[in-house]
Amino acid sequence: IGFNKYPREVYAGWMERLYKQTDRYIGQMLHYIDEGWTIIITSDHAQVCPAHRPPMIGDMSVNIRVMQELGYTNLLVDENGHELREIDWARTRAVAVRECNIYINLKGRDPHGIVDPIDQYELEEQIMTDLYGYRDKKTGKRVIALALRNKDAVLLGYGGPECGDIVFFTADDYTIDHGDGLSTAMGASHTSQSPIFAAAGQGIKKGYKTSRVIREVDVAPTVAVLLGVRMPNECEGAPVYQILTEEY
């Protein structure tokens, strides 16, 4: 749907109905706690409401405009000079795709690569600098919260061969999807991208609220501890020991 296509009350009604539906669904399971079960309620993400029209970068498809404005992505044109929905790889040095990934059009790796690998590091530096300098045309504020190289993204649990050469995240008030902003991103009407986490039942402290930021990767090792089984191989998270009744 279009941005701000419906009145605010319509969106609020959708959210209220969704919360009621979820509440009914969870309510059907809570009796298992009395039977000795442990219930964990979590989500892979939440959803933010952007305060401003999001930039054309960071969505789930290939985004052209910001990278085109910065001079890194170009489109083919027809005989009348009108843009075609096709990238001109002969004049494209980098492309933003898959929400928060930017790929360098690298020689020897990509089918139509034009960037010499020896120039990759400096090109990445230039792109990141330009991203930080990019401003919303109405507000004058930057729209990129963070941009870093693939090798540095490991600090955020990201990076590796399946991710972009550059990883970036849109800033508060410009995040529109669940994968283009940091997990701490905030939006209008107090909306947040952070997932929920609640647990109750066997092995969980009653009425306890932890200040720890619980991540999705912490769920599996926490369940492993509760079940008394080994941690998953290559486990990136850690048990949320703060909420457990037993000390480890």
Side-chain angles (χ1 to χ4, degrees):
I1 61 176
F3 189 78
N4 286 345
K5 182 177 180 180
Y6 300 104
R8 184 187 185 97
E9 295 75 20
V10 173
Y11 295 105
W14 288 346
M15 288 188 286
E16 182 178 359
R17 289 196 296 273
L18 180 61
Y19 276 114
K20 289 181 178 179
Q21 180 186 40
T22 304
D23 185 64
R24 289 195 300 270
Y25 178 70
I26 293 174
Q28 295 173 3
M29 299 184 178
L30 293 184
H31 68 89
Y32 287 112
I33 294 178
D34 297 329
E35 300 175 22
W37 288 59
T38 301
I39 292 181
I40 293 178
I41 302 169
T42 188
S43 63
D44 58 341
H45 59 82
Q47 191 74 47
V48 288
C49 176
H52 309 292
R53 183 176 293 276
M56 290 301 294
I57 190 171
D59 205 344
M60 295 181 69
S61 57
V62 178
N63 296 133
I64 300 299
R65 294 308 174 199
V66 172
M67 293 295 285
Q68 186 182 47
E69 288 182 45
L70 296 177
Y72 297 109
T73 303
N74 285 284
L75 295 178
L76 292 172
V77 296
D78 61 20
E79 62 275 8
N80 298 316
H82 299 139
E83 289 182 340
L84 300 175
R85 296 172 64 88
E86 186 176 350
I87 293 176
D88 184 354
W89 293 108
R91 297 189 303 123
T92 291
R93 292 180 291 166
V95 62
V97 65
R98 290 176 53 232
E99 302 208 287
C100 56
N101 295 277
I102 292 176
Y103 293 86
I104 305 298
N105 190 20
L106 205 61
K107 285 182 180 179
R109 182 189 69 181
D110 302 315
H112 308 289
I114 64 172
V115 177
D116 193 311
I118 199 172
D119 299 323
Q120 179 178 358
Y121 190 88
E122 288 303 322
L123 179 58
E124 290 173 351
E125 179 67 26
Q126 180 184 347
I127 292 173
M128 290 187 292
T129 299
D130 289 342
L131 288 175
Y132 281 126
Y134 188 83
R135 295 291 188 269
D136 181 278
K137 293 176 176 57
K138 288 188 176 181
T139 66
K141 296 181 179 180
R142 63 184 174 88
V143 300
I144 301 298
L146 180 65
L148 64 169
R149 290 185 174 86
N150 184 296
K151 71 178 183 65
D152 301 320
V154 66
L155 300 174
L156 299 177
Y158 205 56
E162 301 300 324
C163 297
D165 300 302
I166 294 172
V167 174
F168 70 92
F169 302 94
T170 49
D172 281 0
D173 295 331
Y174 295 97
T175 298
I176 189 173
D177 210 348
H178 59 265
D180 56 345
L182 293 164
S183 61
T184 51
M186 300 292 291
S189 301
H190 306 291
T191 51
S192 167
Q193 189 154 263
S194 295
I196 62 170
F197 182 95
Q202 188 74 23
I204 304 296
K205 294 178 181 177
K206 294 183 179 180
Y208 182 79
K209 182 178 181 180
T210 179
S211 59
R212 171 176 171 175
V213 177
I214 301 174
R215 304 180 300 154
E216 289 91 336
V217 291
D218 297 330
V219 175
T222 301
V223 171
V225 167
L226 289 169
L227 293 176
V229 300
R230 68 168 179 80
M231 301 289 178
N233 288 333
E234 306 298 333
C235 183
E236 296 181 11
V240 187
Y241 61 88
Q242 293 92 338
I243 69 172
L244 304 179
T245 55
E246 186 176 349
E247 293 187 358
Y248 295 88

